[in-house]
């Protein structure tokens, strides 16, 4: 069966520090991978979308970047965090053309102080 | 532009009763409409979807209704249980801004469903 992992589960970082959040998927090949951010009490906003290794698309202008060094690994990064980067970050995957059926990881709660 | 919104931010239902969660959408070109359930501190969980050429789809204890005339989507949960307490999001497929792929999911802000024992 497929599983998706995210770490760390929670993170508190000072403003201006770097960020690296990791997501890995098991049990599937060539998944579509997504990074979402969820502000408190709000819906999910798509940040990045990837259809394959090295193929990253950004959906919104922001202070973050994403990379996909391996088929089932998706990394969210920042060189210098802003207060507004605080939120709940979710990684998700889908396969083939079933992009509307996405499976989410447990998320990372990021607090920037 | 596209938007997906919810009529009620919170909903309280007595255990055993049926619940109805509503959602309005604006993108008439969406192919799919989806409901997700998110429990506290966890990622969203896919519940059920409906294609735009359908008006009703049933799952286990859940039914999704799509009214394209008024751009309205609803999720009905039968015989609610304490485990149904969560935030429910509707989502619709919409075009990606970027070049790869064709569509993305646009999520609404969510409705918090509380089941009263």
């Amino acid at each position: 069966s497929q599983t998706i992992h995210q770490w760390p589960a929670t993170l508190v970082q000072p403003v201006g520090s770097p960020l690296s959040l990791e997501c890995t998927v098991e049990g599937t090949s060539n998944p579509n991978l997504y990074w979402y951010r969820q502000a408190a009490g709000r819906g999910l906003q798509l940040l990045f979308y990837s259809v394959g290794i090295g193929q990253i698309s950004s959906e919104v202008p922001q202070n973050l970047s994403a990379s996909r060094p391996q088929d089932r690994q998706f990394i969210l990064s920042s060189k210098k965090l802003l207060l507004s980067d605080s939120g709940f970050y979710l990684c998700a995957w889908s396969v083939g053309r079933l992009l509307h059926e996405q499976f989410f990881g447990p998320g990372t709660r990021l607090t920037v102080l | 532009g596209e938007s997906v919104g919810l009529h009620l931010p919170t909903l309280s239902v007595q255990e055993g009763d049926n619940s109805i969660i509503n959602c309005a959408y604006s993108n008439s070109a969406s192919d799919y409409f989806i409901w997700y359930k998110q429990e506290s501190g966890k990622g969203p969980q896919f519940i059920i979807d409906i294609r735009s050429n359908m008006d009703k789809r049933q799952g286990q204890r859940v039914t999704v209704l799509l009214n394209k005339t008024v751009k309205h989507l609803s999720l009905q949960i039968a015989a609610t249980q304490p485990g149904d307490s969560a935030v429910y999001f509707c989502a619709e497929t919409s075009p990606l801004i970027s070049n790869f792929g064709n569509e993305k999911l646009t999520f609404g802000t969510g409705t918090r469903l509380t089941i009263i024992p």
Side-chain angles (χ1 to χ4, degrees):
Chain A
S1 62
Q2 301 90 353
T3 56
I4 179 169
H5 305 279
Q6 282 187 249
W7 65 91
T10 60
L11 189 61
V12 180
Q13 291 285 98
V15 171
S17 64
L19 173 74
S20 180
L21 302 181
E22 192 161 342
C23 169
T24 58
V25 181
E26 296 176 357
T28 187
S29 296
N30 196 30
N32 303 310
L33 296 173
Y34 312 82
W35 276 113
Y36 288 88
R37 176 169 56 209
Q38 185 177 28
R42 303 293 297 274
L44 284 74
Q45 179 186 39
L46 179 64
L47 303 177
F48 297 98
Y49 169 64
S50 173
V51 297
I53 296 173
Q55 299 180 69
I56 311 293
S57 302
S58 174
E59 282 298 293
V60 294
Q62 59 197 296
N63 182 44
L64 302 167
S65 62
S67 61
R68 186 169 177 174
Q70 299 180 44
D71 181 46
R72 289 169 286 180
Q73 183 184 29
F74 206 21
I75 298 172
L76 185 69
S77 305
S78 174
K79 292 182 180 179
K80 290 185 178 181
L81 283 169
L82 306 172
L83 286 174
S84 58
D85 291 325
S86 293
F88 192 44
Y89 288 84
L90 290 153
C91 181
W93 66 273
S94 68
V95 290
R97 295 187 60 80
L98 298 175
L99 68 92
H100 64 280
E101 188 169 344
Q102 297 183 14
F103 301 92
F104 286 82
T108 294
R109 174 83 51 197
L110 172 66
T111 303
V112 182
L113 302 175
Chain B
E2 76 246 11
S3 65
V4 179
L6 293 166
H7 292 173
L8 295 173
T10 61
L11 178 65
S12 295
V13 175
Q14 201 74 37
E15 182 179 352
D17 288 351
N18 300 333
S19 67
I20 300 176
I21 302 171
N22 297 303
C23 179
Y25 65 91
S26 61
N27 183 8
S28 300
S30 292
D31 291 328
Y32 282 92
F33 300 88
I34 310 99
W35 283 100
Y36 281 87
K37 172 186 179 183
Q38 186 176 26
E39 298 177 7
S40 181
K42 297 182 179 180
Q45 180 183 13
F46 175 91
I47 301 174
I48 191 169
D49 63 0
I50 186 168
R51 196 163 184 180
S52 58
N53 61 355
M54 301 170 65
D55 53 23
K56 180 179 180 180
R57 190 175 184 202
Q58 289 184 296
Q60 187 177 10
R61 284 202 305 119
V62 296
T63 301
V64 56
L65 299 177
L66 177 63
N67 185 332
K68 293 180 285 295
T69 302
V70 295
K71 297 182 183 177
H72 184 267
L73 184 70
S74 68
L75 177 70
Q76 301 178 3
I77 305 175
T80 53
Q81 303 168 357
D84 294 329
S85 293
V87 176
Y88 290 81
F89 292 96
C90 62
E92 61 178 343
T93 53
S94 55
L96 277 167
I97 296 173
S98 49
N99 293 329
F100 298 123
N102 297 313
E103 295 181 312
K104 65 179 179 182
L105 289 182
T106 298
F107 286 81
T109 53
T111 292
R112 181 173 298 280
L113 175 65
T114 301
I115 306 303
I116 304 168

